[in-house]
Amino acid sequence: MRIIKPFAILTPQTIIQDKAVAFDKKIEAIDTVENLIKKYPNAAVEHDENALLLPGFANPHLHLEFSANKATLQYGDFIPWLYSVIRHREDLLPLCDGACLEQTLWSIIQTGTTAIGAISSYGEDLQACVDSALKVVYFNEVIGSNAATADVMYASFLERFHQSKKHENERFKAAVAIHSPYSVHYILAKRALDIAKKYGSLVSVHFMESRAERKWLDKGSGEFAKFFKEFLNQTRPVNDTKSFLELFKELHTLFVHMVWANEEEIQTIASYNAHIIHCPISNRLLGNGVLNLEKIKSIPYAIATDGLSSNYSLNMYEELKAALFVHPYKEATTFAKELIIRATKAGYDALGFEGGEIAVGKDADMQLIDLPEGLTNVEDLYLHTILHTKKPKKVYIQGVEYV
């Protein structure tokens, strides 16, 4: 048993002062430090009046397999970026070997994240995710818009899914990812989602990320028309969005990006068991615009970094800073509180893990950070935590200290 007495606790919904947290694997009690010492006389006690205690972050959408990318891929617009991924992926993927993946996962923990959603296209990151101290939802991704190759792509997906199922425990879950409505044939998507239904698996899907996707799916035109003709000799979309969305009706799904979703699609998704995953830096770097948070307010959303194929960092503090600035019409102090909730409790809810809150009975997935220097207004803690924190000084996952 351990007891931590910080300057304040961000639960994250409220700020608690003059209290301490007693924890082992789970949070056992929140009370004055004197009362907790009486209750747990053998506990190790840490006083840190220059620190804040808050939940660990959940990063529900990232692609580890491209973690070797620094400046190889082309940013600025979605289609040139996509061409650069195709052009360089055979070079980039082997560069992120086991050591690279291990270091990437460790850097995620060091920056305060305690749970992730890892989108895996090839399964090369499976063992690294299994071995990590992180809580991981491992999304086995299916892609393929050509009906002639559907059986092959499905077989590959199924093998990877069942391989990941073998490793399931309370900290590792196998899940299903459908790449997108423009890149996965309806039949292939349906077969993969039938597996998700059979096993009660969480699902992730990129949806309406770019203007190019919107034009292609609506009218079969725009920049994707050239792309699909050149690479796959396809002249029309393989899905209409209405039929595609109906596939997710009975599933818990994370709809990633949603920048170009229309009102009808938003209303449909709002009627599902769904979360939106907002990746502001990735959206900015690929020229996709900014998610309209007012339009999607009927759907819970969480914050994620996406992968290093479309971001310079997997540090959620960097993502929160970006989110704060790309939504300029949100009042800064109240929006900062919302963002920290979205990065903790909402992310944990999206992934289905226990945690994301400093509350009795929750897993002790927490981070201890430096108190912003010179703080005069306690209510500003949320904002200054985002502005001034680069990484925590301690991270706990199920009560075990990793940093």
Side-chain angles (χ1 to χ4, degrees):
M1 186 70 65
R2 301 179 69 168
I3 296 171
I4 293 179
K5 170 58 176 73
F7 169 80
I9 301 164
L10 304 187
T11 65
Q13 297 92 334
T14 59
I15 300 170
I16 299 175
Q17 289 186 272
D18 303 317
K19 295 287 173 57
V21 175
F23 66 96
D24 193 10
K25 183 177 180 180
K26 293 184 177 292
I27 296 169
E28 300 294 337
I30 301 172
D31 204 339
T32 64
V33 69
E34 294 80 10
N35 286 344
L36 291 180
I37 291 172
K38 289 178 184 176
K39 188 173 182 178
Y40 305 105
N42 296 320
V45 182
E46 178 180 354
H47 292 262
D48 194 340
E49 293 299 327
N50 294 311
L52 301 178
L53 187 68
L54 68 155
F57 294 133
N59 186 350
H61 185 84
L62 51 83
H63 300 259
L64 291 167
E65 291 166 320
F66 281 92
S67 293
N69 180 60
K70 290 281 191 297
T72 301
L73 301 180
Q74 183 176 344
Y75 294 156
D77 186 77
F78 187 79
I79 294 297
W81 170 81
L82 184 57
Y83 275 101
S84 75
V85 170
I86 292 170
R87 186 163 59 250
H88 296 293
R89 64 184 172 190
E90 298 305 320
D91 298 322
L92 281 173
L93 290 170
L95 291 177
C96 199
D97 56 11
C100 166
L101 290 167
E102 183 179 341
Q103 177 56 41
T104 300
L105 289 162
W106 177 237
S107 73
I108 290 170
I109 295 173
Q110 288 179 306
T111 51
T113 294
T114 49
I116 63 170
I119 311 297
S120 179
S121 301
Y122 306 99
E124 298 297 329
D125 51 358
L126 174 59
Q127 195 59 52
C129 286
V130 169
D131 293 340
S132 172
L134 287 160
K135 291 180 175 177
V136 180
V137 177
Y138 190 78
F139 291 96
N140 297 276
E141 187 172 62
V142 63
I143 188 169
S145 61
N146 188 338
T149 63
D151 286 344
V152 174
M153 303 308 287
Y154 177 72
S156 170
F157 154 77
L158 199 60
E159 181 180 0
R160 289 182 285 117
F161 177 81
H162 285 301
Q163 190 64 31
S164 62
K165 285 288 287 182
K166 295 177 183 178
H167 297 282
E168 282 195 320
N169 55 49
E170 63 178 351
R171 284 164 63 163
F172 183 91
K173 301 179 184 178
V176 173
I178 307 298
H179 181 267
S180 70
Y182 64 82
S183 62
V184 183
H185 195 279
Y186 181 90
I187 294 172
L188 180 56
K190 185 178 185 304
R191 292 177 74 184
L193 292 175
D194 284 344
I195 293 297
K197 290 177 184 177
K198 178 179 178 180
Y199 290 97
S201 301
L202 186 60
V203 175
S204 179
V205 59
H206 301 95
F207 189 77
M208 290 301 161
E209 180 176 4
S210 68
R211 186 196 300 266
E213 180 180 350
R214 180 83 270 172
K215 286 184 176 181
W216 174 247
L217 292 171
D218 284 352
K219 300 177 180 179
S221 63
E223 294 172 291
F224 261 132
K226 178 186 176 184
F227 176 88
F228 277 101
K229 178 66 177 175
E230 178 181 343
F231 283 98
L232 296 165
N233 198 31
Q234 293 178 1
T235 57
R236 61 184 182 183
V238 293
N239 287 296
D240 67 87
T241 55
K242 185 175 181 179
S243 298
F244 182 80
L245 282 179
E246 286 176 355
L247 291 171
F248 300 86
K249 189 173 184 179
E250 299 173 9
L251 293 157
H252 180 191
T253 304
L254 311 186
F255 288 88
V256 183
H257 301 305
M258 289 280 289
V259 177
W260 292 90
N262 62 33
E263 189 61 38
E264 181 180 356
E265 292 158 352
I266 291 169
Q267 288 180 4
T268 297
I269 292 168
S271 71
Y272 293 173
N273 180 12
H275 284 77
I276 290 173
I277 307 302
H278 180 26
C279 307
I281 293 177
S282 177
N283 293 155
R284 177 67 184 94
L285 290 179
L286 302 191
N288 290 327
V290 179
L291 177 66
N292 187 328
L293 296 178
E294 286 302 308
K295 284 179 65 176
I296 58 98
K297 62 184 178 182
S298 59
I299 309 168
Y301 78 90
I303 305 290
T305 61
D306 214 326
L308 290 175
S309 52
S310 59
N311 202 328
Y312 62 90
S313 173
L314 301 180
N315 185 336
M316 286 287 284
Y317 282 106
E318 291 295 297
E319 203 69 33
L320 292 175
K321 289 179 179 70
L324 187 68
F325 290 112
V326 301
H327 297 284
Y329 301 106
K330 291 276 196 178
E331 195 278 323
T333 54
T334 56
F335 188 46
K337 178 178 179 178
E338 177 183 334
L339 287 173
I340 287 180
I341 293 171
R342 299 298 181 179
T344 54
K345 184 181 185 306
Y348 264 78
D349 289 346
L351 292 174
F353 281 124
E354 184 71 45
E357 294 181 273
I358 307 294
V360 174
K362 297 290 185 180
D363 279 7
D365 298 351
M366 307 180 296
Q367 53 178 315
L368 194 70
I369 68 170
D370 286 320
L371 179 70
E373 188 174 339
L375 182 76
T376 57
N377 184 359
V378 173
E379 294 304 315
D380 290 341
L381 270 175
Y382 295 97
L383 178 59
H384 289 298
T385 291
I386 292 174
L387 293 177
H388 299 292
T389 308
K390 292 182 171 60
K391 62 181 182 179
K393 49 187 180 179
K394 292 188 178 181
V395 176
Y396 306 90
I397 303 175
Q398 292 187 324
V400 177
E401 183 178 332
Y402 287 96
V403 176

